[in-house]
Amino acid sequence: MQIRNIAIIAHVDHGKTTLVDQLLQQSGTFRENQHVVERAMDSNDLERERGITILAKCTSVVWNDVRINIIDTPGHADFGGEVERILSMVDGAVVLVDAAEGALPQTKFVVAKALKRGLRPIVVVNKVDRSDARADEVHDEVFDLFAAQGANDDQLDFPMLYASGRQGWADYVVEGHKEDLSSLFDLIVKHVPAPNVNKDAPFAMVASILEADNFLGRILTGRVEQGVAKVNMPVRVLRVDGTIVETGRISKLLAFRGLERVAVDEVQAGDIVAIAGLSEATVSETIASPEVTEALHADPIDPPTLSMTFRINDGPLGGREGKKVTSRQIRERLFREVESNVAIKVTDSNESDAFEVAGRGELQLGVLIETMRREGFELTIGRPKVLTQINEETGEKEEPYEEVLVDVDEPYSGVVVEKLSVRKGVMQDMNPSGGGKVRLTFAIPSRGLIGYHNEFLTDTRGTGIMNRLFSGYGPWAGAIPGRRNGSLISAEDGVAVQYSLFSLQDRGTLFVSNGEKVYVGMILGEHSRENDLDVNPVREKKLTNIRAAGKDEALLLVPPRKMSLEQAIAYIEDDELVEVTPSAVRIRKLYLNPHDRKKNTRQKSA
């Protein structure tokens, strides 16, 4: 059977997973009476809750006796490492672009990676059924994007389809028949080349995806680059430099058939397969027959730009809510994550019982923390820090910069420009985008965006949309102002009392509600002024026998501001930590004791 390997790549929310649903449906993968959930490829709990794709996943359909292996990829810039890895497995790509939003930063990123690998993408303008669709303008935008990324003549002559993934149709013209996706299937078979592989050479493949199975152990997925893989055949694993990691046997060969993985006896070169039976092999390493001595080429991944410090939970409530609390358990879990996620780097910190975890962005590390929290871990997280480098030619310090694209209603454009300018952002473009909205483009240090997203949503009354993409390293931009307001800090251990909170809510915005456990050094809220203030949240009303009018008035509390994990991480300053447990997210000071805090402040000022 002929094979085609393609990746679906696009910006977040442009309809990749929904389109894959329709491709599976129309290829006859499901029975007529089979119940299939929406966005079937998003099988992870976090993916379903957030409505985004986090992990790249493979599926397979058959169209006119041609097997098409389809890989659904994440659209968010923080998970770009998944996309980079996956493109080495495919021979073609379908680039989805929203007919209203057009080419956004992540579209630019994935297109650049695909063109660099020499792929000839198929462009699909999706969601043309939207009321604000501007399909022809978006077509021009995509052509300009390809030209700006240095596409050759063959790549610039890309085939184009208009589609609605939700309605399940694609056509060469916007006003076409709008029947089904047969035009897209036929174009994939015709335009995407068959895998260029050597079937007679000894077996070899590069592992691109690593996952764990309770019964099979490690499962490594990749494309067979040469030869034939057979069950129970001896193999060895080679690093990029050719050194041997381990030797073993293939205990299971799993081929992709629709949403299922089916055990097979052998797999030919060019097909995508999952292998079980190895205990140490990991992503980007070569799995090959014993006679193969050189590792296959594996593309390097872009380096991380942001780091956070993961510590043990040493607070007074540590160990009460989670099962995994020791530094050894946290270390094992983090290094296990590194094996499967090549975009994350973990190093031991200078502090005891702490680790520096570097990644592509706050969302990627936030997803890792949330996953660990659900697994029963307790830990504390420090404020995100950017990873700087020294320019070898000038000797000056450089920091990561990002390209930020903001779609905002015209009345709010002024405050967005003002806030980003204060954070060292430089506006590069400003265009009306229709419907009373303005599209602003900024170049800004990554440091300036830490903690800004909540402020941005407040300033734009929740209507603004901000997209960002790492663009490279630039000169250090100097000091960037942080949060202006101080904190309300608990001076006592115990349980927060309504009587006490009622008097404290005049001092600022509270984060805790009546009945919550508190401890010395825990942040209870945001002070209305710039200084920190130690307060007593456990003070109860003194009981008395004397009755008086007005003594027993109802104490009405303003609902507290409850922060999600990402919001808490973005909120904290350098001297604060986020305490994460399976049942709570709290904010606390790095030094819980007020005397230690004052001592540390004096040392810094000295």
Side-chain angles (χ1 to χ4, degrees), residues 141-172:
E141 282 182 22
V142 174
F143 185 86
D144 293 342
L145 173 63
F146 273 56
Q149 297 301 319
N152 58 37
D153 292 342
D154 284 343
Q155 291 170 328
L156 281 173
D157 189 23
F158 53 81
M160 182 92 169
L161 287 175
Y162 299 96
S164 168
R166 184 172 289 280
Q167 295 179 1
W169 62 266
D171 213 316
Y172 287 94

PDB file of all heavy atoms in Angstrom, residues 141-172:
ATOM      1  N   GLU A 141      -1.945  37.328   2.296  1.00  0.00           N
ATOM      2  CA  GLU A 141      -1.094  37.363   3.498  1.00  0.00           C
ATOM      3  C   GLU A 141      -0.184  36.132   3.555  1.00  0.00           C
ATOM      4  O   GLU A 141       0.994  36.231   3.892  1.00  0.00           O
ATOM      5  CB  GLU A 141      -1.963  37.400   4.764  1.00  0.00           C
ATOM      6  CG  GLU A 141      -2.551  38.746   5.087  1.00  0.00           C
ATOM      7  CD  GLU A 141      -3.363  38.706   6.385  1.00  0.00           C
ATOM      8  OE1 GLU A 141      -3.116  37.791   7.205  1.00  0.00           O
ATOM      9  OE2 GLU A 141      -4.232  39.568   6.561  1.00  0.00           O
ATOM     10  N   VAL A 142      -0.759  34.963   3.244  1.00  0.00           N
ATOM     11  CA  VAL A 142       0.012  33.720   3.309  1.00  0.00           C
ATOM     12  C   VAL A 142       1.118  33.727   2.261  1.00  0.00           C
ATOM     13  O   VAL A 142       2.255  33.311   2.535  1.00  0.00           O
ATOM     14  CB  VAL A 142      -0.915  32.491   3.133  1.00  0.00           C
ATOM     15  CG1 VAL A 142      -0.096  31.209   3.042  1.00  0.00           C
ATOM     16  CG2 VAL A 142      -1.898  32.396   4.280  1.00  0.00           C
ATOM     17  N   PHE A 143       0.805  34.222   1.051  1.00  0.00           N
ATOM     18  CA  PHE A 143       1.839  34.292   0.005  1.00  0.00           C
ATOM     19  C   PHE A 143       2.980  35.205   0.459  1.00  0.00           C
ATOM     20  O   PHE A 143       4.160  34.871   0.294  1.00  0.00           O
ATOM     21  CB  PHE A 143       1.230  34.811  -1.301  1.00  0.00           C
ATOM     22  CG  PHE A 143       2.201  34.798  -2.452  1.00  0.00           C
ATOM     23  CD1 PHE A 143       2.379  33.659  -3.224  1.00  0.00           C
ATOM     24  CD2 PHE A 143       2.979  35.924  -2.737  1.00  0.00           C
ATOM     25  CE1 PHE A 143       3.294  33.639  -4.270  1.00  0.00           C
ATOM     26  CE2 PHE A 143       3.893  35.911  -3.780  1.00  0.00           C
ATOM     27  CZ  PHE A 143       4.039  34.766  -4.551  1.00  0.00           C
ATOM     28  N   ASP A 144       2.632  36.362   1.035  1.00  0.00           N
ATOM     29  CA  ASP A 144       3.666  37.294   1.531  1.00  0.00           C
ATOM     30  C   ASP A 144       4.492  36.633   2.631  1.00  0.00           C
ATOM     31  O   ASP A 144       5.713  36.841   2.715  1.00  0.00           O
ATOM     32  CB  ASP A 144       3.014  38.570   2.072  1.00  0.00           C
ATOM     33  CG  ASP A 144       2.349  39.395   0.968  1.00  0.00           C
ATOM     34  OD1 ASP A 144       2.693  39.165  -0.218  1.00  0.00           O
ATOM     35  OD2 ASP A 144       1.485  40.234   1.291  1.00  0.00           O
ATOM     36  N   LEU A 145       3.819  35.838   3.489  1.00  0.00           N
ATOM     37  CA  LEU A 145       4.523  35.150   4.572  1.00  0.00           C
ATOM     38  C   LEU A 145       5.524  34.144   4.003  1.00  0.00           C
ATOM     39  O   LEU A 145       6.682  34.087   4.448  1.00  0.00           O
ATOM     40  CB  LEU A 145       3.517  34.439   5.475  1.00  0.00           C
ATOM     41  CG  LEU A 145       4.084  33.537   6.575  1.00  0.00           C
ATOM     42  CD1 LEU A 145       4.907  34.350   7.558  1.00  0.00           C
ATOM     43  CD2 LEU A 145       2.966  32.801   7.311  1.00  0.00           C
ATOM     44  N   PHE A 146       5.108  33.352   3.013  1.00  0.00           N
ATOM     45  CA  PHE A 146       6.017  32.382   2.387  1.00  0.00           C
ATOM     46  C   PHE A 146       7.218  33.100   1.777  1.00  0.00           C
ATOM     47  O   PHE A 146       8.362  32.656   1.919  1.00  0.00           O
ATOM     48  CB  PHE A 146       5.275  31.588   1.304  1.00  0.00           C
ATOM     49  CG  PHE A 146       4.551  30.369   1.811  1.00  0.00           C
ATOM     50  CD1 PHE A 146       3.608  30.481   2.819  1.00  0.00           C
ATOM     51  CD2 PHE A 146       4.802  29.112   1.290  1.00  0.00           C
ATOM     52  CE1 PHE A 146       2.926  29.365   3.292  1.00  0.00           C
ATOM     53  CE2 PHE A 146       4.136  27.984   1.757  1.00  0.00           C
ATOM     54  CZ  PHE A 146       3.191  28.124   2.761  1.00  0.00           C
ATOM     55  N   ALA A 147       6.956  34.215   1.083  1.00  0.00           N
ATOM     56  CA  ALA A 147       8.046  34.962   0.434  1.00  0.00           C
ATOM     57  C   ALA A 147       9.008  35.520   1.483  1.00  0.00           C
ATOM     58  O   ALA A 147      10.235  35.469   1.314  1.00  0.00           O
ATOM     59  CB  ALA A 147       7.468  36.082  -0.420  1.00  0.00           C
ATOM     60  N   ALA A 148       8.463  36.040   2.594  1.00  0.00           N
ATOM     61  CA  ALA A 148       9.304  36.618   3.645  1.00  0.00           C
ATOM     62  C   ALA A 148      10.163  35.568   4.331  1.00  0.00           C
ATOM     63  O   ALA A 148      11.248  35.878   4.836  1.00  0.00           O
ATOM     64  CB  ALA A 148       8.424  37.323   4.681  1.00  0.00           C
ATOM     65  N   GLN A 149       9.707  34.306   4.339  1.00  0.00           N
ATOM     66  CA  GLN A 149      10.469  33.232   4.981  1.00  0.00           C
ATOM     67  C   GLN A 149      11.452  32.559   4.032  1.00  0.00           C
ATOM     68  O   GLN A 149      12.039  31.530   4.361  1.00  0.00           O
ATOM     69  CB  GLN A 149       9.504  32.176   5.547  1.00  0.00           C
ATOM     70  CG  GLN A 149       8.589  32.691   6.647  1.00  0.00           C
ATOM     71  CD  GLN A 149       9.358  33.241   7.832  1.00  0.00           C
ATOM     72  OE1 GLN A 149      10.364  32.678   8.246  1.00  0.00           O
ATOM     73  NE2 GLN A 149       8.905  34.365   8.357  1.00  0.00           N
ATOM     74  N   GLY A 150      11.627  33.124   2.825  1.00  0.00           N
ATOM     75  CA  GLY A 150      12.631  32.612   1.892  1.00  0.00           C
ATOM     76  C   GLY A 150      12.223  31.355   1.155  1.00  0.00           C
ATOM     77  O   GLY A 150      13.072  30.511   0.828  1.00  0.00           O
ATOM     78  N   ALA A 151      10.924  31.199   0.863  1.00  0.00           N
ATOM     79  CA  ALA A 151      10.458  30.018   0.127  1.00  0.00           C
ATOM     80  C   ALA A 151      10.994  30.032  -1.301  1.00  0.00           C
ATOM     81  O   ALA A 151      11.112  31.099  -1.926  1.00  0.00           O
ATOM     82  CB  ALA A 151       8.924  30.000   0.112  1.00  0.00           C
ATOM     83  N   ASN A 152      11.325  28.838  -1.843  1.00  0.00           N
ATOM     84  CA  ASN A 152      11.778  28.777  -3.231  1.00  0.00           C
ATOM     85  C   ASN A 152      10.557  28.779  -4.166  1.00  0.00           C
ATOM     86  O   ASN A 152       9.406  28.804  -3.726  1.00  0.00           O
ATOM     87  CB  ASN A 152      12.665  27.548  -3.466  1.00  0.00           C
ATOM     88  CG  ASN A 152      11.952  26.240  -3.124  1.00  0.00           C
ATOM     89  OD1 ASN A 152      10.751  26.085  -3.366  1.00  0.00           O
ATOM     90  ND2 ASN A 152      12.694  25.286  -2.564  1.00  0.00           N
ATOM     91  N   ASP A 153      10.815  28.756  -5.483  1.00  0.00           N
ATOM     92  CA  ASP A 153       9.721  28.873  -6.452  1.00  0.00           C
ATOM     93  C   ASP A 153       8.714  27.734  -6.312  1.00  0.00           C
ATOM     94  O   ASP A 153       7.501  27.948  -6.428  1.00  0.00           O
ATOM     95  CB  ASP A 153      10.280  28.907  -7.883  1.00  0.00           C
ATOM     96  CG  ASP A 153      11.066  30.185  -8.142  1.00  0.00           C
ATOM     97  OD1 ASP A 153      10.875  31.141  -7.360  1.00  0.00           O
ATOM     98  OD2 ASP A 153      11.860  30.229  -9.103  1.00  0.00           O
ATOM     99  N   ASP A 154       9.198  26.505  -6.077  1.00  0.00           N
ATOM    100  CA  ASP A 154       8.286  25.371  -5.923  1.00  0.00           C
ATOM    101  C   ASP A 154       7.389  25.545  -4.700  1.00  0.00           C
ATOM    102  O   ASP A 154       6.201  25.243  -4.732  1.00  0.00           O
ATOM    103  CB  ASP A 154       9.083  24.056  -5.779  1.00  0.00           C
ATOM    104  CG  ASP A 154       9.643  23.600  -7.117  1.00  0.00           C
ATOM    105  OD1 ASP A 154       9.151  24.094  -8.140  1.00  0.00           O
ATOM    106  OD2 ASP A 154      10.562  22.766  -7.109  1.00  0.00           O
ATOM    107  N   GLN A 155       7.993  26.034  -3.598  1.00  0.00           N
ATOM    108  CA  GLN A 155       7.214  26.222  -2.371  1.00  0.00           C
ATOM    109  C   GLN A 155       6.228  27.380  -2.497  1.00  0.00           C
ATOM    110  O   GLN A 155       5.134  27.338  -1.937  1.00  0.00           O
ATOM    111  CB  GLN A 155       8.162  26.454  -1.182  1.00  0.00           C
ATOM    112  CG  GLN A 155       8.971  25.209  -0.810  1.00  0.00           C
ATOM    113  CD  GLN A 155      10.070  25.514   0.196  1.00  0.00           C
ATOM    114  OE1 GLN A 155      10.642  26.609   0.197  1.00  0.00           O
ATOM    115  NE2 GLN A 155      10.383  24.553   1.060  1.00  0.00           N
ATOM    116  N   LEU A 156       6.606  28.428  -3.255  1.00  0.00           N
ATOM    117  CA  LEU A 156       5.699  29.560  -3.447  1.00  0.00           C
ATOM    118  C   LEU A 156       4.503  29.186  -4.323  1.00  0.00           C
ATOM    119  O   LEU A 156       3.437  29.801  -4.228  1.00  0.00           O
ATOM    120  CB  LEU A 156       6.446  30.739  -4.088  1.00  0.00           C
ATOM    121  CG  LEU A 156       7.315  31.576  -3.151  1.00  0.00           C
ATOM    122  CD1 LEU A 156       8.121  32.588  -3.944  1.00  0.00           C
ATOM    123  CD2 LEU A 156       6.450  32.291  -2.114  1.00  0.00           C
ATOM    124  N   ASP A 157       4.671  28.171  -5.135  1.00  0.00           N
ATOM    125  CA  ASP A 157       3.569  27.718  -5.997  1.00  0.00           C
ATOM    126  C   ASP A 157       2.717  26.701  -5.232  1.00  0.00           C
ATOM    127  O   ASP A 157       2.481  25.593  -5.699  1.00  0.00           O
ATOM    128  CB  ASP A 157       4.151  27.102  -7.281  1.00  0.00           C
ATOM    129  CG  ASP A 157       3.072  26.815  -8.312  1.00  0.00           C
ATOM    130  OD1 ASP A 157       2.003  27.456  -8.229  1.00  0.00           O
ATOM    131  OD2 ASP A 157       3.284  25.944  -9.176  1.00  0.00           O
ATOM    132  N   PHE A 158       2.268  27.096  -4.039  1.00  0.00           N
ATOM    133  CA  PHE A 158       1.554  26.153  -3.176  1.00  0.00           C
ATOM    134  C   PHE A 158       0.093  26.006  -3.607  1.00  0.00           C
ATOM    135  O   PHE A 158      -0.536  26.975  -4.034  1.00  0.00           O
ATOM    136  CB  PHE A 158       1.618  26.585  -1.710  1.00  0.00           C
ATOM    137  CG  PHE A 158       1.160  28.001  -1.444  1.00  0.00           C
ATOM    138  CD1 PHE A 158      -0.194  28.303  -1.329  1.00  0.00           C
ATOM    139  CD2 PHE A 158       2.090  29.031  -1.300  1.00  0.00           C
ATOM    140  CE1 PHE A 158      -0.614  29.597  -1.067  1.00  0.00           C
ATOM    141  CE2 PHE A 158       1.668  30.329  -1.055  1.00  0.00           C
ATOM    142  CZ  PHE A 158       0.317  30.609  -0.940  1.00  0.00           C
ATOM    143  N   PRO A 159      -0.451  24.797  -3.520  1.00  0.00           N
ATOM    144  CA  PRO A 159      -1.875  24.607  -3.802  1.00  0.00           C
ATOM    145  C   PRO A 159      -2.715  25.179  -2.668  1.00  0.00           C
ATOM    146  O   PRO A 159      -2.299  25.173  -1.509  1.00  0.00           O
ATOM    147  CB  PRO A 159      -2.028  23.091  -3.905  1.00  0.00           C
ATOM    148  CG  PRO A 159      -0.893  22.538  -3.145  1.00  0.00           C
ATOM    149  CD  PRO A 159       0.225  23.531  -3.218  1.00  0.00           C
ATOM    150  N   MET A 160      -3.906  25.667  -3.014  1.00  0.00           N
ATOM    151  CA  MET A 160      -4.734  26.396  -2.052  1.00  0.00           C
ATOM    152  C   MET A 160      -6.152  25.840  -2.032  1.00  0.00           C
ATOM    153  O   MET A 160      -6.742  25.592  -3.081  1.00  0.00           O
ATOM    154  CB  MET A 160      -4.771  27.861  -2.507  1.00  0.00           C
ATOM    155  CG  MET A 160      -5.536  28.759  -1.601  1.00  0.00           C
ATOM    156  SD  MET A 160      -4.402  29.444  -0.416  1.00  0.00           S
ATOM    157  CE  MET A 160      -5.423  30.677   0.315  1.00  0.00           C
ATOM    158  N   LEU A 161      -6.678  25.621  -0.829  1.00  0.00           N
ATOM    159  CA  LEU A 161      -8.075  25.192  -0.680  1.00  0.00           C
ATOM    160  C   LEU A 161      -8.779  26.097   0.318  1.00  0.00           C
ATOM    161  O   LEU A 161      -8.135  26.639   1.237  1.00  0.00           O
ATOM    162  CB  LEU A 161      -8.150  23.746  -0.178  1.00  0.00           C
ATOM    163  CG  LEU A 161      -7.792  22.611  -1.151  1.00  0.00           C
ATOM    164  CD1 LEU A 161      -7.821  21.280  -0.406  1.00  0.00           C
ATOM    165  CD2 LEU A 161      -8.739  22.570  -2.329  1.00  0.00           C
ATOM    166  N   TYR A 162     -10.075  26.259   0.127  1.00  0.00           N
ATOM    167  CA  TYR A 162     -10.916  26.958   1.095  1.00  0.00           C
ATOM    168  C   TYR A 162     -11.768  25.900   1.789  1.00  0.00           C
ATOM    169  O   TYR A 162     -12.276  24.987   1.135  1.00  0.00           O
ATOM    170  CB  TYR A 162     -11.801  27.993   0.404  1.00  0.00           C
ATOM    171  CG  TYR A 162     -10.994  29.058  -0.311  1.00  0.00           C
ATOM    172  CD1 TYR A 162     -10.717  28.951  -1.673  1.00  0.00           C
ATOM    173  CD2 TYR A 162     -10.495  30.159   0.378  1.00  0.00           C
ATOM    174  CE1 TYR A 162      -9.964  29.910  -2.335  1.00  0.00           C
ATOM    175  CE2 TYR A 162      -9.736  31.127  -0.274  1.00  0.00           C
ATOM    176  CZ  TYR A 162      -9.472  31.003  -1.619  1.00  0.00           C
ATOM    177  OH  TYR A 162      -8.721  31.952  -2.260  1.00  0.00           O
ATOM    178  N   ALA A 163     -11.927  26.019   3.107  1.00  0.00           N
ATOM    179  CA  ALA A 163     -12.588  24.925   3.829  1.00  0.00           C
ATOM    180  C   ALA A 163     -13.347  25.433   5.044  1.00  0.00           C
ATOM    181  O   ALA A 163     -13.127  26.555   5.526  1.00  0.00           O
ATOM    182  CB  ALA A 163     -11.549  23.890   4.276  1.00  0.00           C
ATOM    183  N   SER A 164     -14.231  24.580   5.521  1.00  0.00           N
ATOM    184  CA  SER A 164     -14.861  24.747   6.825  1.00  0.00           C
ATOM    185  C   SER A 164     -14.719  23.411   7.549  1.00  0.00           C
ATOM    186  O   SER A 164     -15.414  22.446   7.210  1.00  0.00           O
ATOM    187  CB  SER A 164     -16.340  25.130   6.690  1.00  0.00           C
ATOM    188  OG  SER A 164     -16.974  25.014   7.949  1.00  0.00           O
ATOM    189  N   GLY A 165     -13.787  23.343   8.495  1.00  0.00           N
ATOM    190  CA  GLY A 165     -13.538  22.095   9.216  1.00  0.00           C
ATOM    191  C   GLY A 165     -14.754  21.630   9.988  1.00  0.00           C
ATOM    192  O   GLY A 165     -15.049  20.439  10.058  1.00  0.00           O
ATOM    193  N   ARG A 166     -15.483  22.567  10.589  1.00  0.00           N
ATOM    194  CA  ARG A 166     -16.659  22.186  11.385  1.00  0.00           C
ATOM    195  C   ARG A 166     -17.756  21.612  10.492  1.00  0.00           C
ATOM    196  O   ARG A 166     -18.419  20.639  10.856  1.00  0.00           O
ATOM    197  CB  ARG A 166     -17.172  23.416  12.149  1.00  0.00           C
ATOM    198  CG  ARG A 166     -18.329  23.103  13.075  1.00  0.00           C
ATOM    199  CD  ARG A 166     -18.664  24.299  13.946  1.00  0.00           C
ATOM    200  NE  ARG A 166     -17.632  24.538  14.942  1.00  0.00           N
ATOM    201  CZ  ARG A 166     -17.530  23.866  16.080  1.00  0.00           C
ATOM    202  NH1 ARG A 166     -18.385  22.901  16.361  1.00  0.00           N
ATOM    203  NH2 ARG A 166     -16.584  24.146  16.950  1.00  0.00           N
ATOM    204  N   GLN A 167     -17.959  22.208   9.304  1.00  0.00           N
ATOM    205  CA  GLN A 167     -18.998  21.714   8.390  1.00  0.00           C
ATOM    206  C   GLN A 167     -18.512  20.542   7.542  1.00  0.00           C
ATOM    207  O   GLN A 167     -19.323  19.853   6.918  1.00  0.00           O
ATOM    208  CB  GLN A 167     -19.488  22.850   7.491  1.00  0.00           C
ATOM    209  CG  GLN A 167     -20.198  23.965   8.261  1.00  0.00           C
ATOM    210  CD  GLN A 167     -20.649  25.107   7.360  1.00  0.00           C
ATOM    211  OE1 GLN A 167     -20.452  25.065   6.140  1.00  0.00           O
ATOM    212  NE2 GLN A 167     -21.240  26.135   7.956  1.00  0.00           N
ATOM    213  N   GLY A 168     -17.186  20.335   7.503  1.00  0.00           N
ATOM    214  CA  GLY A 168     -16.655  19.154   6.827  1.00  0.00           C
ATOM    215  C   GLY A 168     -16.616  19.245   5.315  1.00  0.00           C
ATOM    216  O   GLY A 168     -16.960  18.297   4.622  1.00  0.00           O
ATOM    217  N   TRP A 169     -16.152  20.394   4.767  1.00  0.00           N
ATOM    218  CA  TRP A 169     -16.003  20.485   3.309  1.00  0.00           C
ATOM    219  C   TRP A 169     -14.763  21.304   2.962  1.00  0.00           C
ATOM    220  O   TRP A 169     -14.291  22.120   3.753  1.00  0.00           O
ATOM    221  CB  TRP A 169     -17.248  21.089   2.642  1.00  0.00           C
ATOM    222  CG  TRP A 169     -17.586  22.503   3.048  1.00  0.00           C
ATOM    223  CD1 TRP A 169     -18.447  22.886   4.033  1.00  0.00           C
ATOM    224  CD2 TRP A 169     -17.054  23.717   2.491  1.00  0.00           C
ATOM    225  NE1 TRP A 169     -18.492  24.248   4.126  1.00  0.00           N
ATOM    226  CE2 TRP A 169     -17.656  24.788   3.187  1.00  0.00           C
ATOM    227  CE3 TRP A 169     -16.141  24.006   1.476  1.00  0.00           C
ATOM    228  CZ2 TRP A 169     -17.368  26.120   2.908  1.00  0.00           C
ATOM    229  CZ3 TRP A 169     -15.853  25.335   1.191  1.00  0.00           C
ATOM    230  CH2 TRP A 169     -16.461  26.373   1.903  1.00  0.00           C
ATOM    231  N   ALA A 170     -14.234  21.055   1.773  1.00  0.00           N
ATOM    232  CA  ALA A 170     -13.095  21.810   1.242  1.00  0.00           C
ATOM    233  C   ALA A 170     -13.254  21.906  -0.264  1.00  0.00           C
ATOM    234  O   ALA A 170     -13.702  20.948  -0.909  1.00  0.00           O
ATOM    235  CB  ALA A 170     -11.772  21.128   1.605  1.00  0.00           C
ATOM    236  N   ASP A 171     -12.881  23.060  -0.844  1.00  0.00           N
ATOM    237  CA  ASP A 171     -13.002  23.255  -2.285  1.00  0.00           C
ATOM    238  C   ASP A 171     -11.954  24.250  -2.758  1.00  0.00           C
ATOM    239  O   ASP A 171     -11.383  24.995  -1.961  1.00  0.00           O
ATOM    240  CB  ASP A 171     -14.413  23.742  -2.644  1.00  0.00           C
ATOM    241  CG  ASP A 171     -14.850  23.215  -4.019  1.00  0.00           C
ATOM    242  OD1 ASP A 171     -14.015  23.273  -4.941  1.00  0.00           O
ATOM    243  OD2 ASP A 171     -15.990  22.743  -4.141  1.00  0.00           O
ATOM    244  N   TYR A 172     -11.745  24.269  -4.076  1.00  0.00           N
ATOM    245  CA  TYR A 172     -10.741  25.176  -4.647  1.00  0.00           C
ATOM    246  C   TYR A 172     -11.248  26.614  -4.735  1.00  0.00           C
ATOM    247  O   TYR A 172     -10.469  27.535  -4.927  1.00  0.00           O
ATOM    248  CB  TYR A 172     -10.313  24.688  -6.034  1.00  0.00           C
ATOM    249  CG  TYR A 172      -9.430  23.457  -5.973  1.00  0.00           C
ATOM    250  CD1 TYR A 172      -9.963  22.177  -6.081  1.00  0.00           C
ATOM    251  CD2 TYR A 172      -8.061  23.573  -5.767  1.00  0.00           C
ATOM    252  CE1 TYR A 172      -9.165  21.047  -6.003  1.00  0.00           C
ATOM    253  CE2 TYR A 172      -7.239  22.453  -5.690  1.00  0.00           C
ATOM    254  CZ  TYR A 172      -7.797  21.192  -5.802  1.00  0.00           C
ATOM    255  OH  TYR A 172      -6.995  20.087  -5.714  1.00  0.00           O
TER     256      TYR A 172
END
